[in-house]
Amino acid sequence: MAERHVFGFGRGWADGDGEMKDVLGGKGAGLAAMARAGVPVPPGFTISTAVCNLYQRDGAVPAAVEAEIAAALAKVEAETGRRLGDPDDPLLLSVRSGARFSMPGMMNTILNLGLNERTVRGLIRRSGRPRFAWDCYRRFVHMFGEVALGIDGARFEALLSEQKRRAGVSLDTELSAEDLEAVTRAGLALVEELTGAPLPSDPREQLRRSRDAVFDSWWAPRAAYYRQMEKIPDDLGTAANVQAMVFGNLGPDSATGVGFTRDPATGEPVLYGEFLLDAQGEDVVSGARTPEPLARLAETLPAAHAELAATVRRLEGLLGDLQDFEFTVERGQLYLLQTRNGKRTGTAAVRIAVDLVAEGKIDEKTAVSRVSPEQLEQLLHPVFAPASLAALTPIARGIAASPGAAVGRAALSADAAVLAAKDGPVILVRPETTADDIHGMDAAVGILTAVGGASSHAAVVARGMGRPCVAGAGHLDAIAEGDWLSLDGTTGEVFRGRAETLPPDPRSPAFASLMAMADRIRGDFGVRANVDTPADARRARELGAEGIGLCRTEHMFFAEERVRHMRAMILADDEASRRAALARLLPLQRADFIGIFEAMDGLPVVIRTLDPPLHEFLPPRDELQLDVARLAHATPAERAELAARHGLSATELDLTLPALLARVSDLHEMNPMLGHRGCRLGISYPEITEMQVRAIAEAALEVTRGGGRPVPEIMIPLVGDVAELRHQRAIAERVIAEIESETGIALGVKIGTMIEIPRAALTADAIASAAEFFSFGTNDLTQTTYGMSRDDYGKFAPRYRELGIFKDDPFAVLDPEGVGRLLEMGVLRGRGARPGLEVGVCGEHGGEPRSIAFCHRIGLDYVSCSPYRVPIARLAAAQAVLAAAGESGGEARRTV
Ligand code: PEP
Ligand code: MG
């Protein structure tokens, strides 16, 4: 049997089906699926995509296909009870393109085909509405002239405008039947004048030419360009869908409308949409008349409304997702013209996914793969009301460093931010941030920096605080103190002015259900949080963290009174005074650990020993140099100001300030990121490691005595050589052993290391001999693998973005080919030397969905991210598990 090229469909039957998108195109497959499901669609047939290629090759549609078309047309005539070209009761047709992939902008459509001088009279008789019939004919002449004959559409529009002017009216709807007849005749004359021949009056020829025009449109330059851009192969071809016309403008028992099976903003399970009585599809969207809510259709056309509600509900069940549909009621008879998966907000996405599971329409895996991490993010952070952004001027764009929308007045320094925050919301605007800016960041509702990337200080701290942040936005000179700014940390955009924000909604029951489903799917692929305070630990646990993957102990030293002890420790000349300062820090740190262990009772808490270079805790060198210079000639008032700012007494000033400068100069480094930091500090000053381990062990002891179940783990940062780790490990083991033997309580503290220097990954087998767990610090590992400072990257990142040198920002999305290979090597070598070694990731990538999928593929045990990203990570982890099992394709297969 010859290959079939024409696939008919009608009430309750179809030759094709919903899976045949390659053959029927997206639209044709959708129509076939609906028809098969018994949904009332106007009958018709789809000419396959292969014919498009045959037509291109041969310059004509093969005779065998013409015969198939004739047979399919006869079926449409039989089902509608009308014939094409019948002068008494003509069948009218539409012809539409429809490729495998939607290609907006190239869709060619011709409506009302089948009209001519004789059939228009039949249409008038049948409808009893001359105005309607002439309007149909007018539209056909316009569309056929434009699409099939290549005449500029504006020429037909001009004829319509001219007639309105003559009739003295301003709206199309005010034109009479006679006016529309005149426009139609003028259009026919225009065709003859421009093409040298009359518009074909034979409906079959009209059909052939319309069909060929649809195929030609596939090869038009704009379509070819679009395909090249979207990487759609040329030889896919488009299908041509021929369908009986139905009319929503045949009187008060006709209507047309659009809708959703559920509210696409909230997800509420109510029929949502609008319609117009006695109107055509385009009237609903054109805004010429105000449509009515769908609920009103139940009053005006109750039978049609009931059938519509039942039909779309059934369609939704069949397709397993929210449907966005178009319908027409022609003299009381309902027709569905189109249905497709509907777009929705994050809130609606979660609610709909969960409700569809409860209704038995989809399974949990489908529900979890249906909600994107971006949609979930909308629930966790405020977003801008899109309409309110339209009026604002974009002034900068940077790296979307910490999600959420924030509106406030610009403050150009941390101190200014704290002051201004008393009067209203503030956005902290800085070239970049340092530990000195923490109080300003805390006072601000959003943070904006000129330089720095996705793992710069600003980004890491803002994410930890759950504060929106845009980093590396370039020159911000145009922003003045007090300017109103609207900052979108989800997109990286910054606007001048005040946008309206919509609040987050993370506590809905639907959110909790979806998270529970995600947790069941991800199983033992864990999600932990990066947390530095007891309050954040509680928050992280509420959001579902299964432990702490990284506690950055230095963040505990930034608070006002602690930094004083920290400075005293750093400025100490000898070990004895250093130990004295450390002794004052110990109880403070122990108290924090107690709070964190209590919040995370029974769950692992990985605590990292001090990491950043010491000068981060001291005033900046330039500032000190200035102050020391001023000291010589200072007035008493100025001396008082200097003393207050440095927390010194007036008598201390003359001695201490120069000493401070000398120490700061001493500690000054050309490249602090690669300098005296990480385990190097603990090796230079073992007493720091000692104090920290003691604080951890004593805290664990106290919580244990109170009946709690602390699970402390100690992590050594920035190790490149196993000897460094051994050194620090020996100290930790000694302190723990001392405490255990004093108390007789076994603490069982594991000691592990960060893998964040390429050499650590390369020698992971040796390192594993001294580490009970690994955690990849992908921030430093990315920085050191690329040899690209995470703080300076923002300076050239815009250029890299512009040129597309990096497909993704490697500080935001884990680089699978380079950095990722080091991770793989680290896992293999580490577990080779120590089978079953626990391995996680705690760099910023631990909260990024594609990086999470990579971590799952290479066999990591868990990811760890800032508390506010924990839900995103739980969802992304579940999706990674589904993808690995090949079970996340549900969405694509289900579109109509
Ligand atoms: C890392 O380097 O990835 C890491 C988690 O540590 P930090 O960002 O504190 O250097
Ligand atoms: Mg690091």
Side-chain angles (χ1 to χ4, degrees):
M1 204 179 94
E3 194 187 341
R4 169 174 218 145
H5 286 304
V6 179
F7 298 81
F9 53 85
R11 191 161 263 262
W13 68 276
D15 296 325
D17 63 45
E19 303 294 307
M20 294 172 63
K21 283 192 187 171
D22 286 335
V23 179
L24 304 179
K27 187 182 251 327
L31 285 166
M34 283 203 283
R36 265 179 188 259
V39 171
V41 293
F45 53 89
T46 301
I47 307 170
S48 80
T49 53
V51 178
C52 182
N53 286 328
L54 294 173
Y55 169 79
Q56 161 75 2
R57 190 191 66 192
D58 304 341
V61 168
V65 176
E66 293 285 13
E68 276 189 75
I69 291 173
L73 179 59
K75 271 188 156 177
V76 176
E77 290 180 326
E79 198 161 314
T80 56
R82 299 195 176 109
R83 280 183 306 103
L84 190 64
D86 183 343
D88 294 323
D89 187 7
L91 170 68
L92 301 189
L93 297 173
S94 65
V95 181
R96 291 182 169 91
S97 62
R100 170 78 178 82
F101 301 102
S102 120
M103 293 173 55
M106 69 149 287
M107 290 298 246
N108 268 339
T109 296
I110 296 179
L111 303 179
N112 305 334
L113 174 167
L115 283 170
N116 57 30
E117 197 61 47
R118 291 174 59 205
T119 53
V120 73
R121 306 274 165 213
L123 190 62
I124 291 172
R125 273 195 301 282
R126 166 158 77 94
S127 65
R129 306 182 126 216
R131 191 186 176 287
F132 154 76
W134 282 111
D135 200 29
C136 286
Y137 196 6
R138 172 190 74 79
R139 288 175 201 255
F140 168 63
V141 171
H142 178 153
M143 284 189 259
F144 191 90
E146 186 172 350
V147 174
L149 304 174
I151 299 171
D152 181 0
R155 301 292 300 264
F156 295 102
E157 286 299 337
L159 299 176
L160 190 66
S161 303
E162 171 61 19
Q163 190 65 33
K164 280 194 279 191
R165 195 188 56 73
R166 247 185 252 150
V169 300
S170 55
L171 294 177
D172 296 6
T173 45
E174 294 169 309
L175 290 172
S176 67
E178 290 70 29
D179 291 329
L180 291 166
E181 179 177 353
V183 180
T184 308
R185 296 200 182 287
L188 289 166
L190 179 70
V191 167
E192 193 156 357
E193 178 199 324
L194 294 179
T195 65
L199 188 143
S201 61
D202 174 5
R204 278 161 214 274
E205 189 182 346
Q206 290 174 356
L207 174 57
R208 272 193 300 279
R209 307 254 317 243
S210 301
R211 171 201 70 196
D212 293 353
V214 162
F215 289 146
D216 283 329
S217 72
W218 176 263
W219 305 102
R222 65 172 179 189
Y225 183 84
Y226 183 87
R227 284 196 295 273
Q228 203 185 8
M229 204 170 70
E230 297 291 312
K231 306 206 169 29
I232 298 174
D234 275 341
D235 62 1
L236 285 184
T238 180
N241 297 290
V242 180
Q243 213 176 356
M245 287 293 302
V246 290
F247 297 98
N249 53 347
L250 283 177
D253 54 353
S254 298
T256 187
V258 294
F260 290 84
T261 46
R262 292 161 201 255
D263 185 329
T266 64
E268 207 190 324
V270 291
L271 201 58
Y272 177 95
E274 47 195 25
F275 76 102
L276 276 173
L277 271 187
D278 196 7
Q280 284 193 304
E282 62 195 58
D283 300 334
V284 179
V285 283
S286 75
R289 285 164 62 190
T290 307
E292 296 187 75
L294 263 187
R296 288 265 302 145
L297 189 66
E299 294 157 32
T300 36
L301 296 172
H305 180 269
E307 192 185 353
L308 176 68
T311 304
V312 296
R313 203 154 181 77
R314 203 154 56 76
L315 262 177
E316 185 193 76
L318 210 65
L319 300 166
D321 201 359
L322 169 75
Q323 293 301 300
D324 164 356
F325 56 83
E326 290 173 25
F327 70 97
T328 286
V329 181
E330 184 185 278
R331 296 199 157 146
Q333 166 68 53
L334 171 78
Y335 293 96
L336 262 289
L337 303 182
Q338 176 160 319
T339 190
R340 58 186 169 199
N341 292 342
K343 300 243 181 299
R344 67 209 79 177
T345 64
T347 306
V350 171
R351 166 108 192 242
I352 291 169
V354 167
D355 283 356
L356 288 175
V357 172
E359 293 165 26
K361 289 177 174 165
I362 58 174
D363 61 12
E364 291 193 354
K365 289 176 181 168
T366 308
V368 164
S369 59
R370 193 60 74 64
V371 178
S372 71
E374 292 76 23
Q375 286 172 322
L376 194 64
E377 206 147 89
Q378 286 181 27
L379 264 73
L380 297 168
H381 302 282
V383 292
F384 283 129
S388 74
L389 278 183
L392 303 187
T393 326
I395 53 164
R397 189 187 189 101
I399 292 167
S402 178
V407 180
R409 285 176 179 276
L412 304 185
S413 72
D415 292 339
V418 172
L419 264 184
K422 297 194 174 89
D423 302 324
V426 167
I427 303 235
L428 177 65
V429 182
R430 298 286 301 150
E432 58 189 325
T433 61
T434 67
D436 279 336
D437 294 315
I438 297 285
H439 57 303
M441 297 176 82
D442 197 29
V445 295
I447 294 141
L448 172 60
T449 69
V451 298
S455 64
S456 62
H457 180 271
V460 173
V461 175
R463 270 197 294 272
M465 290 178 164
R467 222 50 60 83
C469 173
V470 173
H475 294 288
L476 302 175
D477 308 342
I479 299 175
E481 195 86 45
D483 286 356
W484 278 102
L485 300 177
S486 296
L487 170 148
D488 192 335
T490 312
T491 62
E493 290 168 306
V494 185
F495 301 84
R496 188 179 286 289
R498 306 168 70 170
E500 187 195 333
T501 51
L502 307 172
D505 173 28
R507 290 182 189 264
S508 69
F511 174 77
S513 302
L514 186 78
M515 284 292 104
M517 291 178 199
D519 292 346
R520 280 193 283 278
I521 290 168
R522 74 186 162 84
D524 59 5
F525 182 33
V527 175
R528 298 188 191 177
N530 295 353
V531 154
D532 318 315
T533 65
D536 275 351
R538 283 190 289 276
R539 176 104 186 110
R541 191 156 196 176
E542 268 168 36
L543 290 168
E546 298 163 310
I548 291 178
L550 173 63
C551 173
R552 291 177 165 104
T553 50
E554 59 271 17
H555 288 187
M556 299 171 153
F557 293 133
F558 287 141
E560 198 70 35
E561 117 252 26
R562 299 181 181 193
V563 86
R564 249 187 323 122
H565 301 315
M566 193 68 186
R567 284 182 181 170
M569 190 275 289
I570 298 168
L571 294 173
D573 293 330
D574 51 31
E575 194 184 318
S577 35
R578 194 155 42 241
R579 281 190 184 276
L582 282 168
R584 285 192 289 277
L585 282 170
L586 186 130
L588 302 171
Q589 200 147 62
R590 186 176 51 213
D592 281 348
F593 293 143
I594 290 173
I596 292 176
F597 290 147
E598 283 171 351
M600 284 287 157
D601 191 51
L603 298 175
V605 175
V606 176
I607 299 170
R608 181 178 73 184
T609 51
L610 194 65
D611 186 17
L614 295 180
H615 65 69
E616 282 203 4
F617 300 93
L618 300 177
R621 188 169 63 153
D622 311 356
E623 189 186 310
L624 271 176
Q625 273 167 340
L626 267 177
D627 288 351
V628 169
R630 281 172 58 203
L631 200 54
H633 312 286
T635 63
E638 284 168 347
R639 287 179 64 83
E641 185 270 325
L642 278 174
R645 189 145 47 77
H646 290 285
L648 300 168
S649 70
T651 46
E652 282 173 320
L653 208 52
D654 296 296
L655 269 183
T656 311
L657 215 53
L660 189 60
L661 174 59
R663 185 70 177 132
V664 168
S665 304
D666 222 30
L667 289 172
H668 179 75
E669 291 176 322
M670 294 310 285
N671 196 337
M673 270 292 174
L674 298 177
H676 198 186
R677 58 169 287 219
C679 64
R680 299 158 200 170
L681 286 175
I683 291 169
S684 299
Y685 308 106
E687 51 280 9
I688 300 180
T689 308
E690 248 173 55
M691 179 281 283
Q692 292 202 292
V693 173
R694 183 164 285 279
I696 295 166
E698 288 180 358
L701 201 63
E702 187 164 333
V703 174
T704 307
R705 283 182 171 144
R709 296 162 301 158
V711 189
E713 303 186 2
I714 291 171
M715 180 157 75
I716 310 298
L718 221 72
V719 164
D721 191 304
V722 66
E724 294 174 308
L725 178 58
R726 289 221 173 91
H727 178 277
Q728 291 292 287
R729 185 179 179 93
I731 296 174
E733 281 177 337
R734 177 172 49 74
V735 174
I736 294 168
E738 274 167 27
I739 293 172
E740 284 181 334
S741 81
E742 279 163 25
T743 58
I745 296 178
L747 293 170
V749 185
K750 280 202 223 165
I751 301 170
T753 186
M754 304 271 298
I755 303 286
E756 52 183 344
I757 298 284
R759 193 177 188 285
L762 294 166
T763 61
D765 39 0
I767 298 216
S769 71
E772 284 157 274
F773 62 87
F774 280 179
S775 179
F776 287 106
T778 47
N779 301 335
D780 273 311
L781 196 57
T782 301
Q783 157 170 274
T784 47
T785 301
Y786 276 100
M788 200 158 69
S789 154
R790 44 201 262 210
D791 290 335
D792 296 321
Y793 166 61
K795 290 213 178 84
F796 50 90
R799 180 75 177 143
Y800 270 51
R801 260 202 307 275
E802 188 184 303
L803 294 177
I805 289 185
F806 287 157
K807 208 159 96 259
D808 295 298
D809 176 347
F811 286 105
V813 181
L814 188 84
D815 152 46
E817 285 129 35
V819 181
R821 198 166 291 179
L822 285 170
L823 260 67
E824 267 177 285
M825 191 181 290
V827 173
L828 276 174
R829 294 192 179 176
R831 289 198 180 136
R834 190 189 278 261
L837 177 75
E838 182 188 78
V839 187
V841 63
C842 65
E844 295 307 305
H845 305 90
E848 193 282 319
R850 275 186 288 159
S851 313
I852 292 173
F854 180 86
C855 291
H856 178 256
R857 276 201 300 282
I858 64 166
L860 294 202
D861 296 299
Y862 67 87
V863 296
S864 189
C865 56
S866 58
Y868 300 92
R869 283 204 76 80
V870 164
I872 311 277
R874 287 158 74 193
L875 177 70
Q879 291 179 344
V881 170
L882 288 176
E887 289 185 284
S888 55
E891 176 82 12
R893 279 201 301 277
R894 286 180 170 280
T895 35
V896 161

